[in-house]
Amino acid sequence: MSHLLHPKIDNVQVGPSPQWLRAKIESVGIRSINNIVDISNFVMLELGQPTHAFDADKLKGGINVRLAREGEKFLALDGKTYSLKPDNLVVADQERAVGIAGVMGGEETGDGIDQKHSARERYFLPASVRRTARNLNLPSDASYRFRTRSRSGKMVLRASPARDRTDS
């Protein structure tokens, strides 16, 4: 089971994070990337709910959750290409996988400096995330939190914190 809420945030301005945000995430060992990535990490730390922001302009159509195709390749944010298996859950647009569900986003649709619109992923079944992260030997902060603390019951309440804080 998975839940994919992907509110689209328009008129996004990617840039450096405010000092308070950099200080918060760096105090727990997370490197500051930019305001969009950093606020996603902050929400993950604050609520125990990982999110991933996609550059919506780089998506081909809407996003959905599906199983990987046999032999499908995926270039992750860590710069490595992974060979996916049919039991790996992915977030995909109409053409390709854009994220390994609950584990790591893709390089091709990650937040860029020219980004104007953002879409976000939300909740995946912890057992699926654990299995995929283990099979791909791809541990991440997101997969750890999905496996250990994520709760689907508060998804509607959690859909807005990143959107509400990006303007600060």
Side-chain angles (χ1 to χ4, degrees):
M1 179 180 163
S2 66
H3 298 281
L4 182 66
L5 300 176
H6 49 93
K8 185 176 176 186
I9 303 169
D10 292 323
N11 302 314
V12 172
Q13 293 182 345
V14 178
S17 293
Q19 179 56 38
W20 71 265
L21 180 55
R22 285 194 309 270
K24 288 275 190 186
I25 65 169
E26 289 173 354
S27 73
V28 294
I30 297 177
R31 180 175 56 98
S32 176
I33 305 292
N34 64 44
N35 56 337
I36 305 303
V37 174
D38 293 352
I39 199 63
S40 292
N41 285 329
F42 178 78
V43 169
M44 174 181 68
L45 295 168
E46 187 177 60
L47 301 177
Q49 177 61 50
T51 65
H52 178 75
F54 297 96
D55 184 339
D57 291 332
K58 294 178 183 175
L59 296 172
K60 311 291 188 217
I63 57 176
N64 61 68
V65 178
R66 66 168 171 80
L67 292 173
R69 297 179 183 114
E70 184 68 44
E72 187 169 11
K73 304 284 186 205
F74 178 75
L75 177 59
L77 284 172
D78 65 359
K80 296 178 184 175
T81 299
Y82 294 89
S83 296
L84 304 177
K85 299 175 182 163
D87 64 342
N88 297 145
L89 197 61
V90 298
V91 177
D93 64 12
Q94 291 178 352
E95 296 180 3
R96 71 214 190 274
V98 297
I100 301 171
V103 180
M104 189 170 289
E107 186 71 35
E108 295 177 355
T109 57
D111 295 308
I113 198 68
D114 298 327
Q115 178 177 343
K116 299 287 186 245
H117 309 284
S118 180
R120 296 178 179 273
E121 72 173 334
R122 290 290 189 253
Y123 176 80
F124 304 100
L125 191 64
S128 173
V129 172
R130 180 176 42 255
R131 181 176 49 252
T132 297
R134 185 178 55 239
N135 289 345
L136 295 173
N137 192 28
L138 181 56
S140 67
D141 287 334
S143 68
Y144 172 77
R145 284 170 176 81
F146 269 116
R147 292 190 320 256
T148 59
R149 292 196 271 174
S150 184
R151 303 288 180 263
S152 63
K154 297 180 182 176
M155 293 311 301
V156 173
L157 296 175
R158 291 181 176 171
S160 62
R163 180 193 67 232
D164 295 343
R165 291 180 183 255
T166 54
D167 294 333
S168 300

